[in-house]
Amino acid sequence: MKRLQDWMDKCAERSVRQSAQLNGRRSALARIGTWMVAGAALPMLPFDRSGGTAEAAMTTSNDPMACEYWRNCALDGFLCNCCGGSLSQCPPGSEVSKVTWVGTCQNPKDGKAYLVSYNDCCGKVACGRCLCNFNERERPGYRMGIHNDINWCMANTQTMYHCTVSAIVGSAAG
Ligand code: ABN
């Protein structure tokens, strides 16, 4: 009889311990902690904003006024050559941004890749003409130097954005 009671005691103790482990305060806190760490780490993970197809979608044009002109492959803004300037010169009354970002575009004429500096022109209200948005090799905003959706007039005295020029600054071939 005593052995049976011991056995029943052990079984009951084991099941109470298991239940405490699964449903106890400490395991609940551990689970909440895990979710908090995962929640904090998730936004830090890199993500692909291209949708898998955007980069392959650009068909080039020979018209410098067209968004599809090869040099504009990573330009996000108003084309300065639609706003009284040229491909690489700011319109009168605006000044070129002191900081910029550099993209890489392939010239269909010679097949070579070129470094293109996208400078914003500053100090006049937004031009509003020829809005283009191509993002080849662009990366999300937390990598600021390789992101184009930024007002590069930020370092100028006149921080108002007017339009964007695209100046070739070198060959990417090396
Ligand atoms: N670099 C063009 C631009 C200017 C202002 C806001 C977004 C993008």
Side-chain angles (χ1 to χ4, degrees), residues 3-22:
R3 287 177 77 185
L4 180 66
Q5 278 176 342
D6 284 351
W7 180 80
M8 283 171 69
D9 278 352
K10 277 211 174 92
C11 280
E13 186 187 331
R14 203 179 309 141
S15 96
V16 168
R17 279 188 193 283
Q18 272 175 355
S19 162
Q21 245 170 14
L22 284 175

Side-chain angles (χ1 to χ4, degrees), residues 76-78 101 118-120 148-153 161 163-164:
D76 180 359
F78 304 115
W101 89 281
Y118 296 104
N119 288 74
D120 289 341
N148 65 8
D149 195 11
I150 283 174
N151 180 359
W152 291 109
C153 295
Y161 168 72
C163 62
T164 306

Side-chain angles (χ1 to χ4, degrees), residues 92-170:
S94 64
E95 60 175 30
V96 71
S97 62
K98 292 190 171 115
V99 286
T100 177
W101 89 281
V102 177
T104 306
C105 302
Q106 193 181 34
N107 184 343
K109 279 200 178 140
D110 60 10
K112 286 187 187 163
Y114 289 88
L115 297 177
V116 183
S117 176
Y118 296 104
N119 288 74
D120 289 341
C121 295
C122 319
K124 282 176 89 175
V125 292
C127 160
R129 286 193 292 278
C130 301
L131 176 63
C132 299
N133 187 7
F134 280 114
N135 305 301
E136 254 180 56
R137 296 181 189 85
E138 190 224 9
R139 290 296 173 264
Y142 56 79
R143 299 188 63 188
M144 199 170 154
I146 46 178
H147 185 66
N148 65 8
D149 195 11
I150 283 174
N151 180 359
W152 291 109
C153 295
M154 67 176 108
N156 287 45
T157 323
Q158 308 269 342
T159 54
M160 195 182 287
Y161 168 72
H162 184 54
C163 62
T164 306
V165 291
S166 52
I168 294 175
V169 291

